[in-house]
Amino acid sequence: MELIQKTPDLSAYLAVDEAIDHDHPRVREVAARLAREAEDSYAYARLAFEFVRDTIPHSQDSGDPRVTWRASDVLEQRTGICYAKAHALTALLRAEDIPTALCYQRFDVVHGLVAVRFDGAWHRQDPRGNKPGVDAQFSLGRERLAFTPDREAGEADCPELYAAPHPAVLEVLKAAVDRPHLWATLPAAL
């Protein structure tokens, strides 16, 4: 699948916005701590991915009813669904000047991922969090995502790379009073 950059200017994939708040002190602190452990940007990207995947539980898996959407809140509250975890990873990567896009897959509902740009190409990553049957890994080669769409069932990889969260995603996150409410309002398409 060829990924499509929705915004031609690569600097847009380094920008700060209300959800990807990589200028926030919490994001900067975590990014600085991870950067001290990394010998280069590739190692940093892998460490940031593993940090979000492994230390911030997916709220559905952990039973946490809180809904987070802003990267700094995800890092502070240590919870989030796929979109929120993607926002946190995007902020951590952008904090270290790694162009990062938000992207999606379509199942019964839309699933959130990120794509990082290395060596002139985009590489999708899924920081959702592993569990039995899910083994997402950081990879700049063959994709190691949490889920593979079933084309015959109408599921799909969405090729668009967004510089900011899709408005439909951000709208449902911001409006949700808790995770059960969010689950009932998740977008089925973008």
Side-chain angles (χ1 to χ4, degrees), residues 115-126:
V116 296
R117 188 159 177 94
F118 280 111
D119 301 326
W122 290 101
H123 308 274
R124 293 189 310 163
Q125 312 296 325
D126 191 342

Side-chain angles (χ1 to χ4, degrees), residues 18-170:
E18 68 175 332
I20 313 301
D21 59 342
H22 61 82
D23 57 348
H24 189 279
R26 170 69 64 178
V27 177
R28 303 303 297 172
E29 181 270 321
V30 172
R33 183 166 28 92
L34 293 170
R36 283 192 295 273
E37 300 174 29
E39 63 273 4
D40 59 25
S41 60
Y42 297 102
Y44 175 82
R46 183 184 47 75
L47 285 171
F49 169 84
E50 291 171 352
F51 175 83
V52 173
R53 183 195 64 193
D54 298 343
T55 70
I56 300 171
H58 188 286
S59 57
Q60 174 71 14
D61 295 348
S62 67
D64 193 324
R66 296 175 294 168
V67 176
T68 54
W69 57 271
R70 185 177 285 118
S72 58
D73 292 339
V74 174
L75 296 175
E76 173 103 18
Q77 296 180 37
R78 308 294 272 207
T79 191
I81 67 164
C82 61
Y83 309 129
K85 292 181 68 159
H87 298 171
L89 179 56
T90 298
L92 289 172
L93 294 171
R94 289 182 183 183
E96 291 296 313
D97 294 321
I98 298 171
T100 308
L102 295 152
C103 49
Y104 303 93
Q105 293 176 307
R106 190 181 70 245
F107 298 99
D108 289 337
V109 295
V110 174
H111 174 62
L113 324 160
V114 306
V116 296
R117 188 159 177 94
F118 280 111
D119 301 326
W122 290 101
H123 308 274
R124 293 189 310 163
Q125 312 296 325
D126 191 342
R128 178 230 181 272
N130 290 338
K131 64 179 185 174
V134 175
D135 184 29
Q137 300 295 323
F138 183 82
S139 176
L140 299 179
R142 183 179 67 84
E143 287 186 335
R144 302 278 310 273
L145 305 178
F147 308 111
T148 302
D150 178 350
R151 308 261 184 267
E152 292 179 14
E155 299 174 348
D157 283 310
C158 304
E160 297 85 4
L161 301 175
Y162 297 90
H166 192 284
V169 167
L170 203 51

